[in-house]
Amino acid sequence: MSRTPKPLIHSNIAYSTPDRIVVRGKDLPNEVLGHMNLGDFAFLQLTGREATREQSAMFNAILITLVEHGMTPSAIAARMTYAGAPESLQAAVAAGLCGLGSVFVGSMEAACRMLSEALPYTSADVSDADLERIARDTVAAYRERGAIVPGLGHPLHKPIDPRTPRLFQLAADNGMAGRYVKLMKLIGAEAERASGKTLPINATGAIGAICCEFGFPWRIVRGFGVMARAIGLVGHIMEEGEKPMAIEIWQRIEDEASAHLRG
Amino acid sequence: MSRTPKPLIHSNIAYSTPDRIVVRGKDLPNEVLGHMNLGDFAFLQLTGREATREQSAMFNAILITLVEHGMTPSAIAARMTYAGAPESLQAAVAAGLCGLGSVFVGSMEAACRMLSEALPYTSADVSDADLERIARDTVAAYRERGAIVPGLGHPLHKPIDPRTPRLFQLAADNGMAGRYVKLMKLIGAEAERASGKTLPINATGAIGAICCEFGFPWRIVRGFGVMARAIGLVGHIMEEGEKPMAIEIWQRIEDEASAHLRG
Amino acid sequence: MSRTPKPLIHSNIAYSTPDRIVVRGKDLPNEVLGHMNLGDFAFLQLTGREATREQSAMFNAILITLVEHGMTPSAIAARMTYAGAPESLQAAVAAGLCGLGSVFVGSMEAACRMLSEALPYTSADVSDADLERIARDTVAAYRERGAIVPGLGHPLHKPIDPRTPRLFQLAADNGMAGRYVKLMKLIGAEAERASGKTLPINATGAIGAICCEFGFPWRIVRGFGVMARAIGLVGHIMEEGEKPMAIEIWQRIEDEASAHLRG
Amino acid sequence: MSRTPKPLIHSNIAYSTPDRIVVRGKDLPNEVLGHMNLGDFAFLQLTGREATREQSAMFNAILITLVEHGMTPSAIAARMTYAGAPESLQAAVAAGLCGLGSVFVGSMEAACRMLSEALPYTSADVSDADLERIARDTVAAYRERGAIVPGLGHPLHKPIDPRTPRLFQLAADNGMAGRYVKLMKLIGAEAERASGKTLPINATGAIGAICCEFGFPWRIVRGFGVMARAIGLVGHIMEEGEKPMAIEIWQRIEDEASAHLRG
């Protein structure tokens, strides 16, 4: 009884024939267009499953939270790039995305990783006492190696990050405020207790926890920030095309940075 | 009566205060999260206006059409990049986006440009005879300079591109099958007549026309493809992480490309 | 008499075997390392030929001219990206390169294109009178379509760009001040005469002309700027790691850009 | 006695005035062009110091080694990108660079880091016995945490990497075969002894050790690979423009990857 070996180059995402385009098993023109919104289709593209009504509400909210954060380094890089290569809008978006790394979008990934490693998705039911113990151990481990617990605190949004209660409320409304949301809250409280500082859960901590409720592998969580920010950056580039600021920024920085050399 | 001059560095997209995050005039936590889907928020981010129900349906359909096109050069570039730098998922998406230029996403932009230059958004009402004349003139001008009319024909999807009738039906359902959709169809028919070839309107031609119905400036149309494809690429990278193909592709190409040199 | 068809995937640049690495026909360890400088190896990589002593002097000078231009939009984009993803230095360089398009590096490419299209590389000998006529026709054609003649004028370097006389002197010293350098000078003089403005040849005009002396296809000329600037950007990133400015720039711009919204 | 505080935005790399362009204290037209090669200027740009004759020979050799490695994932990504956006050569180079991360260029950085952390640059003289002890401890620490010692072994170049003896010979010829080259060799020998495998020092191990001889901070070492590979990628793009392979690769992969879905 022979079996055909799996081909080495093999993708399950999509295929086309002359009269069909099928993504994740769905006929794109007939089963998707007009029937789904962009967030739901992103869910389908990434997971291969159709979002339930609750997942749709929650996943759209997560992605929307990540679209636009003001005049970030990422937006500035995109605008600088567009000023030099306006014929390559795609390269300006790409430049803006390149900086979504460990510093700015990483804390979301780090929160998801922390939670899913402290309490694996395959774990059996845990009691509240278990969660409290896990929270204590987790915070202690971060403190022992001098690392910052991800997903806590915010330089501007004080005393609370206004996105957090709203995201947690949506999680509760959609049946997704389970053990990971609980654990994130316990970790926040324990980090405050242990450090003596006010450390409210920020948006990336809330999103990291909700990503665990979805069961997403932590490695892909950064991707949500990347795809959402691509939308935000197109908005910045559109505005840069109409009301440019890149050249003015350049000249100011150039002038100031080398003033001491020009003497 | 003096007026403060507009500051040189000036953006109307978003702002934050300690307790608020406001995007395009809307309070993000309270007025957006849980109330909009991702496509609608993209519309808000880009235009500063809330999408009507019809615009929402149409804009989500356009973006979804652009998310996933199979194992494209863009997806291959993203997977190759991820194989070398798995710690920089954002750079893999960026690499994949860099190639969305004149060849692969440009025809959508070019179709929108062709239509909006042939019939400016500010034009008064035009008769069907006017549209027929514009179509003839447009096709003649492209043919005269030996250029390809954008948005027509497809190497695989024959005799028709299955996305086109569905997009045009959605445009009709949502009151957006106006003079630009008409003009695109007339241009397609005229191009077929003049060239003697079968040239069905492809998805990028349909989207270019519908973007004109929205009144989008042609310069931003490529951006829709870029932001949608960012979603698609995260899906490819997620699959590459689980079922890698990049290394196998690399070895095959390396072997074949230099076989004649190794002798 | 059958012939093997050329393989479809086929590169003539390099190959490796267990004990050899050969680039452009040269054994890398034994014939290149210790025998060439980086500029000469770039010439070999790009052209497949070894640079003569004169070509080496000139090509190294061209590339060096393009390495560092101060706190450019490209350098700012790279620094912004590094601030967000310090673990992905390569992505910061990539982000900085993305903006080397039509506005900032394009004039070099445009000058080379203008000259090599006005006087094709395959042209027979031309008299001075021919060159003068070509210069007049070229400038007239640009003026007629309202376009700027590339390679002329500079916002800061007035009355002359100090790199230009030096590059032209090196061209003369190395037997490369031929008909393209002459033509560029004639075009500059004609553009000044026709416009009544002072339009000295800038560095990109000089480089464009010298690239024509080499016989480089204009499509690759931008690549010289890209590869040289990669070196410059690594320098900026190294400095950013030691004396950061990105966060300070971000905060200033964020504050100023949305001040009118925060009220 | 007051002191002017250092400005917050402050760079020591370069400045321009109407008649001067100065990089790292050198007048670019008069002191650099015609006097330096590209590798030497890279050394100046990065370190602020002029390379000695020995440093020049060694640094040029390191960079050249990193320019071209055949049809790598990086080269494939660049070619794929160029096929989609031939008008944005810079974006194709950027896409190719994005993948120079932990897997493909990282081992050079990792070797430099391993060596400079095991034996800090500020260390006093060490005896051969000290070096042997450091080598043993280093290998033991890697083995204990199940990590691969960087800079050793090569999938193709067996039993030795032909670049390594040549790079070490150049180091010896130029007075740079000091304690870090010695330590790298001892680590290689110890790793072979401890693992029972043949683990010759590869090119990235040799370069990592020589970078330590220069005293470069390990964080910048990846940058040498990035800037060198930018040159290599321009060569690949130039060839892709003349003898394209990207479309053929795309079609083969597309066909194979989704064959099981098309049924």
Side-chain angles (χ1 to χ4, degrees), chain D residues 161-184:
Chain D
D161 183 329
R163 296 163 293 191
T164 301
R166 179 66 178 143
L167 286 165
F168 281 155
Q169 179 201 327
L170 288 167
D173 292 351
N174 289 289
M176 302 185 79
R179 59 193 192 173
Y180 290 104
V181 169
K182 228 182 252 181
L183 180 57
M184 189 71 221

PDB file of all heavy atoms in Angstrom, chain D residues 161-184:
ATOM      1  N   ASP D 161      36.452  25.324   4.682  1.00  0.00           N
ATOM      2  CA  ASP D 161      35.911  26.451   3.936  1.00  0.00           C
ATOM      3  C   ASP D 161      37.118  27.177   3.323  1.00  0.00           C
ATOM      4  O   ASP D 161      37.974  27.678   4.049  1.00  0.00           O
ATOM      5  CB  ASP D 161      35.156  27.369   4.913  1.00  0.00           C
ATOM      6  CG  ASP D 161      34.489  28.544   4.221  1.00  0.00           C
ATOM      7  OD1 ASP D 161      35.012  29.023   3.202  1.00  0.00           O
ATOM      8  OD2 ASP D 161      33.444  28.993   4.722  1.00  0.00           O
ATOM      9  N   PRO D 162      37.194  27.229   1.984  1.00  0.00           N
ATOM     10  CA  PRO D 162      38.424  27.747   1.366  1.00  0.00           C
ATOM     11  C   PRO D 162      38.708  29.218   1.658  1.00  0.00           C
ATOM     12  O   PRO D 162      39.824  29.684   1.450  1.00  0.00           O
ATOM     13  CB  PRO D 162      38.175  27.524  -0.136  1.00  0.00           C
ATOM     14  CG  PRO D 162      36.689  27.428  -0.295  1.00  0.00           C
ATOM     15  CD  PRO D 162      36.190  26.821   0.983  1.00  0.00           C
ATOM     16  N   ARG D 163      37.724  29.942   2.168  1.00  0.00           N
ATOM     17  CA  ARG D 163      37.959  31.348   2.498  1.00  0.00           C
ATOM     18  C   ARG D 163      38.730  31.511   3.807  1.00  0.00           C
ATOM     19  O   ARG D 163      39.430  32.491   4.008  1.00  0.00           O
ATOM     20  CB  ARG D 163      36.616  32.085   2.594  1.00  0.00           C
ATOM     21  CG  ARG D 163      35.890  32.106   1.263  1.00  0.00           C
ATOM     22  CD  ARG D 163      34.436  32.456   1.421  1.00  0.00           C
ATOM     23  NE  ARG D 163      33.712  31.393   2.136  1.00  0.00           N
ATOM     24  CZ  ARG D 163      32.381  31.330   2.228  1.00  0.00           C
ATOM     25  NH1 ARG D 163      31.631  32.259   1.663  1.00  0.00           N
ATOM     26  NH2 ARG D 163      31.805  30.353   2.880  1.00  0.00           N
ATOM     27  N   THR D 164      38.551  30.529   4.688  1.00  0.00           N
ATOM     28  CA  THR D 164      39.107  30.676   6.036  1.00  0.00           C
ATOM     29  C   THR D 164      40.640  30.751   6.048  1.00  0.00           C
ATOM     30  O   THR D 164      41.192  31.710   6.622  1.00  0.00           O
ATOM     31  CB  THR D 164      38.591  29.543   6.944  1.00  0.00           C
ATOM     32  OG1 THR D 164      37.162  29.618   6.959  1.00  0.00           O
ATOM     33  CG2 THR D 164      39.126  29.681   8.351  1.00  0.00           C
ATOM     34  N   PRO D 165      41.346  29.784   5.450  1.00  0.00           N
ATOM     35  CA  PRO D 165      42.819  29.890   5.502  1.00  0.00           C
ATOM     36  C   PRO D 165      43.317  31.172   4.824  1.00  0.00           C
ATOM     37  O   PRO D 165      44.281  31.784   5.289  1.00  0.00           O
ATOM     38  CB  PRO D 165      43.292  28.636   4.758  1.00  0.00           C
ATOM     39  CG  PRO D 165      42.103  28.094   4.039  1.00  0.00           C
ATOM     40  CD  PRO D 165      40.896  28.553   4.776  1.00  0.00           C
ATOM     41  N   ARG D 166      42.633  31.594   3.764  1.00  0.00           N
ATOM     42  CA  ARG D 166      43.070  32.808   3.072  1.00  0.00           C
ATOM     43  C   ARG D 166      42.851  34.048   3.950  1.00  0.00           C
ATOM     44  O   ARG D 166      43.717  34.921   4.031  1.00  0.00           O
ATOM     45  CB  ARG D 166      42.288  32.932   1.758  1.00  0.00           C
ATOM     46  CG  ARG D 166      42.629  34.157   0.938  1.00  0.00           C
ATOM     47  CD  ARG D 166      44.041  34.129   0.414  1.00  0.00           C
ATOM     48  NE  ARG D 166      44.321  35.310  -0.403  1.00  0.00           N
ATOM     49  CZ  ARG D 166      45.469  35.949  -0.417  1.00  0.00           C
ATOM     50  NH1 ARG D 166      46.495  35.531   0.321  1.00  0.00           N
ATOM     51  NH2 ARG D 166      45.639  37.009  -1.172  1.00  0.00           N
ATOM     52  N   LEU D 167      41.704  34.111   4.622  1.00  0.00           N
ATOM     53  CA  LEU D 167      41.448  35.254   5.502  1.00  0.00           C
ATOM     54  C   LEU D 167      42.435  35.264   6.664  1.00  0.00           C
ATOM     55  O   LEU D 167      42.949  36.323   7.053  1.00  0.00           O
ATOM     56  CB  LEU D 167      40.004  35.220   6.020  1.00  0.00           C
ATOM     57  CG  LEU D 167      38.930  35.601   4.989  1.00  0.00           C
ATOM     58  CD1 LEU D 167      37.540  35.186   5.470  1.00  0.00           C
ATOM     59  CD2 LEU D 167      38.961  37.110   4.704  1.00  0.00           C
ATOM     60  N   PHE D 168      42.724  34.090   7.220  1.00  0.00           N
ATOM     61  CA  PHE D 168      43.670  34.038   8.341  1.00  0.00           C
ATOM     62  C   PHE D 168      45.086  34.370   7.872  1.00  0.00           C
ATOM     63  O   PHE D 168      45.866  34.978   8.613  1.00  0.00           O
ATOM     64  CB  PHE D 168      43.618  32.675   9.022  1.00  0.00           C
ATOM     65  CG  PHE D 168      42.440  32.514   9.963  1.00  0.00           C
ATOM     66  CD1 PHE D 168      41.926  31.250  10.273  1.00  0.00           C
ATOM     67  CD2 PHE D 168      41.848  33.618  10.568  1.00  0.00           C
ATOM     68  CE1 PHE D 168      40.855  31.104  11.159  1.00  0.00           C
ATOM     69  CE2 PHE D 168      40.772  33.483  11.448  1.00  0.00           C
ATOM     70  CZ  PHE D 168      40.277  32.217  11.734  1.00  0.00           C
ATOM     71  N   GLN D 169      45.404  33.974   6.645  1.00  0.00           N
ATOM     72  CA  GLN D 169      46.729  34.329   6.109  1.00  0.00           C
ATOM     73  C   GLN D 169      46.851  35.843   5.944  1.00  0.00           C
ATOM     74  O   GLN D 169      47.858  36.459   6.316  1.00  0.00           O
ATOM     75  CB  GLN D 169      46.921  33.631   4.765  1.00  0.00           C
ATOM     76  CG  GLN D 169      48.254  33.933   4.091  1.00  0.00           C
ATOM     77  CD  GLN D 169      48.192  33.656   2.580  1.00  0.00           C
ATOM     78  OE1 GLN D 169      47.488  32.748   2.140  1.00  0.00           O
ATOM     79  NE2 GLN D 169      48.926  34.454   1.805  1.00  0.00           N
ATOM     80  N   LEU D 170      45.790  36.463   5.407  1.00  0.00           N
ATOM     81  CA  LEU D 170      45.792  37.921   5.278  1.00  0.00           C
ATOM     82  C   LEU D 170      45.886  38.589   6.644  1.00  0.00           C
ATOM     83  O   LEU D 170      46.553  39.618   6.805  1.00  0.00           O
ATOM     84  CB  LEU D 170      44.547  38.397   4.534  1.00  0.00           C
ATOM     85  CG  LEU D 170      44.532  38.096   3.031  1.00  0.00           C
ATOM     86  CD1 LEU D 170      43.131  38.313   2.454  1.00  0.00           C
ATOM     87  CD2 LEU D 170      45.548  38.985   2.292  1.00  0.00           C
ATOM     88  N   ALA D 171      45.208  38.008   7.629  1.00  0.00           N
ATOM     89  CA  ALA D 171      45.299  38.555   8.986  1.00  0.00           C
ATOM     90  C   ALA D 171      46.749  38.492   9.474  1.00  0.00           C
ATOM     91  O   ALA D 171      47.279  39.466  10.030  1.00  0.00           O
ATOM     92  CB  ALA D 171      44.368  37.792   9.934  1.00  0.00           C
ATOM     93  N   ALA D 172      47.393  37.361   9.239  1.00  0.00           N
ATOM     94  CA  ALA D 172      48.789  37.225   9.671  1.00  0.00           C
ATOM     95  C   ALA D 172      49.688  38.210   8.908  1.00  0.00           C
ATOM     96  O   ALA D 172      50.531  38.890   9.501  1.00  0.00           O
ATOM     97  CB  ALA D 172      49.271  35.789   9.447  1.00  0.00           C
ATOM     98  N   ASP D 173      49.480  38.307   7.603  1.00  0.00           N
ATOM     99  CA  ASP D 173      50.292  39.224   6.787  1.00  0.00           C
ATOM    100  C   ASP D 173      50.155  40.669   7.246  1.00  0.00           C
ATOM    101  O   ASP D 173      51.050  41.487   7.026  1.00  0.00           O
ATOM    102  CB  ASP D 173      49.840  39.173   5.310  1.00  0.00           C
ATOM    103  CG  ASP D 173      50.149  37.840   4.658  1.00  0.00           C
ATOM    104  OD1 ASP D 173      50.857  37.022   5.274  1.00  0.00           O
ATOM    105  OD2 ASP D 173      49.663  37.607   3.531  1.00  0.00           O
ATOM    106  N   ASN D 174      48.998  40.989   7.829  1.00  0.00           N
ATOM    107  CA  ASN D 174      48.739  42.375   8.192  1.00  0.00           C
ATOM    108  C   ASN D 174      48.773  42.607   9.700  1.00  0.00           C
ATOM    109  O   ASN D 174      48.209  43.592  10.197  1.00  0.00           O
ATOM    110  CB  ASN D 174      47.400  42.821   7.593  1.00  0.00           C
ATOM    111  CG  ASN D 174      47.493  42.968   6.087  1.00  0.00           C
ATOM    112  OD1 ASN D 174      48.146  43.899   5.597  1.00  0.00           O
ATOM    113  ND2 ASN D 174      46.884  42.041   5.341  1.00  0.00           N
ATOM    114  N   GLY D 175      49.412  41.701  10.405  1.00  0.00           N
ATOM    115  CA  GLY D 175      49.592  41.903  11.851  1.00  0.00           C
ATOM    116  C   GLY D 175      48.288  41.860  12.632  1.00  0.00           C
ATOM    117  O   GLY D 175      48.163  42.482  13.679  1.00  0.00           O
ATOM    118  N   MET D 176      47.306  41.100  12.116  1.00  0.00           N
ATOM    119  CA  MET D 176      46.029  41.057  12.804  1.00  0.00           C
ATOM    120  C   MET D 176      45.630  39.635  13.200  1.00  0.00           C
ATOM    121  O   MET D 176      44.454  39.363  13.414  1.00  0.00           O
ATOM    122  CB  MET D 176      44.939  41.682  11.929  1.00  0.00           C
ATOM    123  CG  MET D 176      45.304  43.114  11.564  1.00  0.00           C
ATOM    124  SD  MET D 176      43.985  43.930  10.659  1.00  0.00           S
ATOM    125  CE  MET D 176      42.908  44.335  12.032  1.00  0.00           C
ATOM    126  N   ALA D 177      46.600  38.748  13.286  1.00  0.00           N
ATOM    127  CA  ALA D 177      46.290  37.389  13.731  1.00  0.00           C
ATOM    128  C   ALA D 177      46.640  37.276  15.198  1.00  0.00           C
ATOM    129  O   ALA D 177      47.561  36.549  15.582  1.00  0.00           O
ATOM    130  CB  ALA D 177      47.046  36.369  12.885  1.00  0.00           C
ATOM    131  N   GLY D 178      45.897  37.986  16.016  1.00  0.00           N
ATOM    132  CA  GLY D 178      46.198  38.064  17.436  1.00  0.00           C
ATOM    133  C   GLY D 178      45.394  37.079  18.256  1.00  0.00           C
ATOM    134  O   GLY D 178      45.046  35.983  17.800  1.00  0.00           O
ATOM    135  N   ARG D 179      45.056  37.515  19.460  1.00  0.00           N
ATOM    136  CA  ARG D 179      44.460  36.590  20.414  1.00  0.00           C
ATOM    137  C   ARG D 179      43.053  36.136  20.019  1.00  0.00           C
ATOM    138  O   ARG D 179      42.631  35.054  20.413  1.00  0.00           O
ATOM    139  CB  ARG D 179      44.454  37.223  21.805  1.00  0.00           C
ATOM    140  CG  ARG D 179      43.703  38.536  21.896  1.00  0.00           C
ATOM    141  CD  ARG D 179      44.032  39.222  23.227  1.00  0.00           C
ATOM    142  NE  ARG D 179      43.128  40.339  23.472  1.00  0.00           N
ATOM    143  CZ  ARG D 179      43.099  41.021  24.605  1.00  0.00           C
ATOM    144  NH1 ARG D 179      43.925  40.712  25.579  1.00  0.00           N
ATOM    145  NH2 ARG D 179      42.262  42.020  24.776  1.00  0.00           N
ATOM    146  N   TYR D 180      42.330  36.928  19.248  1.00  0.00           N
ATOM    147  CA  TYR D 180      40.969  36.505  18.865  1.00  0.00           C
ATOM    148  C   TYR D 180      40.998  35.449  17.775  1.00  0.00           C
ATOM    149  O   TYR D 180      40.173  34.530  17.769  1.00  0.00           O
ATOM    150  CB  TYR D 180      40.124  37.719  18.462  1.00  0.00           C
ATOM    151  CG  TYR D 180      39.807  38.576  19.660  1.00  0.00           C
ATOM    152  CD1 TYR D 180      40.478  39.781  19.890  1.00  0.00           C
ATOM    153  CD2 TYR D 180      38.870  38.156  20.597  1.00  0.00           C
ATOM    154  CE1 TYR D 180      40.212  40.539  21.010  1.00  0.00           C
ATOM    155  CE2 TYR D 180      38.598  38.922  21.732  1.00  0.00           C
ATOM    156  CZ  TYR D 180      39.272  40.113  21.942  1.00  0.00           C
ATOM    157  OH  TYR D 180      39.000  40.843  23.056  1.00  0.00           O
ATOM    158  N   VAL D 181      41.932  35.565  16.852  1.00  0.00           N
ATOM    159  CA  VAL D 181      42.083  34.510  15.843  1.00  0.00           C
ATOM    160  C   VAL D 181      42.508  33.215  16.540  1.00  0.00           C
ATOM    161  O   VAL D 181      41.981  32.132  16.259  1.00  0.00           O
ATOM    162  CB  VAL D 181      43.095  34.934  14.763  1.00  0.00           C
ATOM    163  CG1 VAL D 181      43.462  33.761  13.863  1.00  0.00           C
ATOM    164  CG2 VAL D 181      42.527  36.094  13.923  1.00  0.00           C
ATOM    165  N   LYS D 182      43.433  33.368  17.463  1.00  0.00           N
ATOM    166  CA  LYS D 182      43.876  32.199  18.238  1.00  0.00           C
ATOM    167  C   LYS D 182      42.712  31.569  19.002  1.00  0.00           C
ATOM    168  O   LYS D 182      42.514  30.350  18.977  1.00  0.00           O
ATOM    169  CB  LYS D 182      44.941  32.666  19.243  1.00  0.00           C
ATOM    170  CG  LYS D 182      46.189  31.814  19.284  1.00  0.00           C
ATOM    171  CD  LYS D 182      47.175  32.307  20.335  1.00  0.00           C
ATOM    172  CE  LYS D 182      48.390  32.970  19.715  1.00  0.00           C
ATOM    173  NZ  LYS D 182      49.379  33.427  20.735  1.00  0.00           N
ATOM    174  N   LEU D 183      41.927  32.409  19.664  1.00  0.00           N
ATOM    175  CA  LEU D 183      40.807  31.915  20.454  1.00  0.00           C
ATOM    176  C   LEU D 183      39.778  31.216  19.574  1.00  0.00           C
ATOM    177  O   LEU D 183      39.244  30.155  19.936  1.00  0.00           O
ATOM    178  CB  LEU D 183      40.156  33.076  21.228  1.00  0.00           C
ATOM    179  CG  LEU D 183      38.957  32.724  22.109  1.00  0.00           C
ATOM    180  CD1 LEU D 183      39.303  31.656  23.140  1.00  0.00           C
ATOM    181  CD2 LEU D 183      38.418  33.984  22.806  1.00  0.00           C
ATOM    182  N   MET D 184      39.501  31.789  18.417  1.00  0.00           N
ATOM    183  CA  MET D 184      38.530  31.158  17.510  1.00  0.00           C
ATOM    184  C   MET D 184      39.024  29.766  17.102  1.00  0.00           C
ATOM    185  O   MET D 184      38.238  28.811  17.069  1.00  0.00           O
ATOM    186  CB  MET D 184      38.331  32.042  16.274  1.00  0.00           C
ATOM    187  CG  MET D 184      37.190  31.593  15.358  1.00  0.00           C
ATOM    188  SD  MET D 184      35.523  31.865  16.055  1.00  0.00           S
ATOM    189  CE  MET D 184      34.689  30.335  15.578  1.00  0.00           C
TER     190      MET D 184
END
